[in-house]
Amino acid sequence: MRKWYNVSGEQGDIVLSSRIRLARNLKEYPFPNRLNRQQMLEVNTKIREVTEKSGQKFMYLEMEQLPKEHAISLAERHLISPDFAENTEGRVLLITEDEEIALMLCEEDHIRLQVMGSGLCLEEAYKKADKLDNYLNSNLNYAFDSRLGYLTQCPTNLGTGMRASVMLHLPALSSCGQLSRLANTISKLGLTIRGVFGEGSNSMGDIYQLSNQVSLGISEEVAIKNLTSITLQIIAQERAAAGEMIKNPEVQDKIFRAYGVLKNARLLSTDEFMSLMSIVRLGAVNNILDINIEKISELIVNMQAATLSVMKGESLPPEKRDMFRAEIVRETI
Amino acid sequence: MRKWYNVSGEQGDIVLSSRIRLARNLKEYPFPNRLNRQQMLEVNTKIREVTEKSGQKFMYLEMEQLPKEHAISLAERHLISPDFAENTEGRVLLITEDEEIALMLCEEDHIRLQVMGSGLCLEEAYKKADKLDNYLNSNLNYAFDSRLGYLTQCPTNLGTGMRASVMLHLPALSSCGQLSRLANTISKLGLTIRGVFGEGSNSMGDIYQLSNQVSLGISEEVAIKNLTSITLQIIAQERAAAGEMIKNPEVQDKIFRAYGVLKNARLLSTDEFMSLMSIVRLGAVNNILDINIEKISELIVNMQAATLSVMKGESLPPEKRDMFRAEIVRETI
């Protein structure tokens, strides 16, 4: 089955993916952390019955039944939250086979509806989310207040209940230290940028998530327009910085070496893979290396620890995992 | 012109080359450091005239006329001594086109006759040296004493005036730390082992020279037999250590990575080239990598700084040199 990330997206040199997430709750039930097991089942069943008639085909995954590594793999690929993979009691995931649309049931809210897409496609993703949301709205009783908008467990989600985000690969801005200054400007605009993999502001693989912070007092359309506009500005900055950077013979040398190691290594840790891959992707995007960018993006999605074990069909100890990772990377690039 | 090092030699997995060097002086002249310019010219001319009738074709190179980088390149390839490249006054090099036989004139002694060969071939090299030496002996007046043998400027060369040596690639013994213990044993047997490239006991590229120390009271044949026998023992030890070493997946990983970097880098310093090449050679010798070993040996001979400038036909500054080195390495392996 072709996944959403196998497709090349707009501004795909820098934007790996776009995501729209809507938080919704049912009027007749307390928020999930106040539900007992029986009530959770009721909520899940109710939503499942409605989605089954939506015209869209969803897999119904009870998180408690799912092997741990499968759950973590879903979180690694950003299809569910880490908390949803960790605390599985009474929780259900509805997900399309191409992994484009997912509904976490009984996460922080009753419904966390998520649409993912390749490249910069926030409007398109929002349309899809909105369409499904409208259908659910007409068949379920959403908790909605005319002043506060959609009611959510956490007040930061009140209003539209929407988080829009893009995942960006910013090796040049990251290496020249412009990113922290950028993060300051961005926060003043009601947006936030943070590393996707690893801890702290220095992201593994130079991959960052830019998202809106404000959902109250601003329409979905305006929020998406803002986010798209800032994204385009960051893209322009990254391209300019990358264009300068790759003129340096030492950077070119680094790119080719990173390729040489990825193409030949027999053991690759996640950390090393991510940092080499970031350099190789920079080279591929700037036509220094002749490698398909979608292949690289797919590797970034799939080379995390638990996902590798799922692919191999067995739980892999670290060394075997590093060996298997190196094998797949060699064959792919 | 095919050089001696383009040919695969015996025990070529470990022995890069063998060398025989004879020190000889003419009876009717003081040792070179006591000669004036006019006398040096006389000595050189006398020897040249004799060698011209030897049946072997030699190039006659006046070291003073030779561009500095050509001279250093000859020293890098061990065809002349570093001192002969540095202090050129009145000195002459006679050398065959395949670089197998060279005569330094007016170095420490009037004649330093050297024969090089690929792999372990001390006897063969000695035969060639002996043949030319006999011819010179019958046409020149050698300084010879029936008790002390050939008279040489430095008393350590008295007797046969012969130094026999082999150049060995010992990555496994070097990395497992057995080499220093080996060096102790070897010195008790009247031999010495030292790094060929770089300073100290840790040789760049794990390349070591094993040579006889004693030339007095021992015939050439016995000295060569001893050296060959010890060399064969070291070869056996290196092969055993390498056989163990390459079973380790981390070592295999290192070998493939080193290959990946050499095959892709755009900038390569001498130090890095030598250490990566050593690992790659270990892999090639043990059938982990499919690379021609003679090609690697040729690179090791030719990738030093001055030799690169000579190859390029212009004096290269360090960065351009590293770029040119990387280019040749990529194309060769």
Side-chain angles (χ1 to χ4, degrees), chain B residues 54-273:
Chain B
S54 71
Q56 205 117 23
K57 205 168 177 297
F58 287 93
M59 291 181 285
Y60 184 88
L61 303 174
E62 289 177 28
M63 294 306 290
E64 290 171 50
Q65 306 298 321
L66 206 63
K68 197 78 190 161
E69 261 159 352
H70 280 72
I72 299 174
S73 166
L74 289 168
E76 284 174 353
R77 294 180 292 140
H78 301 96
L79 298 169
I80 62 174
S81 62
D83 178 66
F84 202 69
E86 191 60 40
N87 304 306
T88 56
E89 202 198 331
R91 290 174 160 183
V92 161
L93 176 67
L94 292 167
I95 187 165
T96 56
E97 209 183 346
D98 63 3
E99 299 177 352
E100 190 184 22
I101 308 181
L103 287 86
M104 287 187 281
L105 305 188
C106 292
E107 209 244 16
E108 195 178 285
D109 297 294
H110 294 144
I111 300 174
R112 284 284 176 105
L113 191 171
Q114 163 177 302
V115 176
M116 295 199 71
S118 196
L120 183 58
C121 61
L122 288 168
E123 285 183 32
E124 196 192 328
Y126 177 67
K127 268 181 209 157
K128 288 181 186 172
D130 191 41
K131 190 181 160 198
L132 181 57
D133 183 45
N134 285 337
Y135 168 77
L136 295 176
N137 194 15
S138 58
N139 290 280
L140 296 164
N141 232 341
Y142 276 170
F144 185 83
D145 177 273
S146 59
R147 203 169 53 90
L148 294 171
Y150 293 100
L151 300 179
T152 54
Q153 181 172 304
C154 178
T156 60
N157 289 314
L158 286 173
T160 60
M162 184 189 80
R163 281 279 173 282
S165 65
V166 286
M167 210 186 273
L168 307 171
H169 182 227
L170 305 174
L173 291 177
S174 182
S175 92
C176 71
Q178 283 185 46
L179 214 56
S180 50
R181 211 176 47 211
L182 199 69
N184 261 327
T185 318
I186 282 169
S187 74
K188 286 174 193 149
L189 298 167
L191 304 179
T192 186
I193 190 165
R194 61 172 186 85
V196 172
F197 299 96
E199 300 293 310
S201 63
N202 248 342
S203 172
M204 246 200 320
D206 306 316
I207 296 172
Y208 296 85
Q209 189 183 61
L210 178 71
S211 60
N212 69 320
Q213 283 290 81
V214 184
S215 52
L216 195 61
I218 182 173
S219 73
E220 291 90 342
E221 287 74 15
V222 172
I224 286 171
K225 221 169 179 174
N226 278 351
L227 184 57
T228 302
S229 145
I230 306 288
T231 301
L232 288 171
Q233 286 175 47
I234 295 176
I235 290 171
Q237 285 186 41
E238 169 66 24
R239 281 195 193 129
E244 272 311 303
M245 199 172 156
I246 58 161
K247 287 182 193 161
N248 183 341
E250 286 179 29
V251 172
Q252 292 177 20
D253 181 52
K254 250 179 118 173
I255 289 170
F256 282 108
R257 283 166 181 256
Y259 171 74
V261 172
L262 286 182
K263 188 75 195 160
N264 287 281
R266 260 56 187 171
L267 295 172
L268 274 177
S269 70
T270 314
D271 283 28
E272 193 189 12
F273 163 75

Side-chain angles (χ1 to χ4, degrees), chain A residues 242-253:
Chain A
E244 271 311 302
M245 198 172 155
I246 58 161
K247 286 181 195 162
N248 184 341
E250 285 179 29
V251 171
Q252 293 177 20
D253 180 53

Side-chain angles (χ1 to χ4, degrees), chain A residues 154-269:
Chain A
C154 178
T156 59
N157 289 315
L158 287 173
T160 60
M162 183 188 81
R163 281 278 173 283
S165 64
V166 286
M167 210 184 273
L168 307 171
H169 182 228
L170 304 174
L173 290 177
S174 182
S175 91
C176 71
Q178 282 184 46
L179 215 57
S180 50
R181 212 175 47 209
L182 199 70
N184 262 328
T185 318
I186 282 168
S187 74
K188 286 173 193 149
L189 299 166
L191 304 179
T192 186
I193 191 164
R194 63 173 185 84
V196 172
F197 298 97
E199 300 292 309
S201 62
N202 248 343
S203 172
M204 244 201 320
D206 305 316
I207 296 172
Y208 297 86
Q209 189 183 61
L210 178 71
S211 60
N212 69 320
Q213 283 290 79
V214 185
S215 52
L216 195 61
I218 182 173
S219 73
E220 291 89 342
E221 286 75 13
V222 172
I224 286 170
K225 221 170 178 173
N226 278 351
L227 184 57
T228 302
S229 146
I230 306 289
T231 301
L232 288 171
Q233 287 175 46
I234 295 176
I235 289 170
Q237 285 184 42
E238 169 66 23
R239 280 193 195 132
E244 271 311 302
M245 198 172 155
I246 58 161
K247 286 181 195 162
N248 184 341
E250 285 179 29
V251 171
Q252 293 177 20
D253 180 53
K254 249 180 118 173
I255 290 170
F256 282 107
R257 282 165 182 256
Y259 170 74
V261 172
L262 286 181
K263 188 74 195 162
N264 288 281
R266 261 53 188 173
L267 295 171
L268 274 177
S269 70

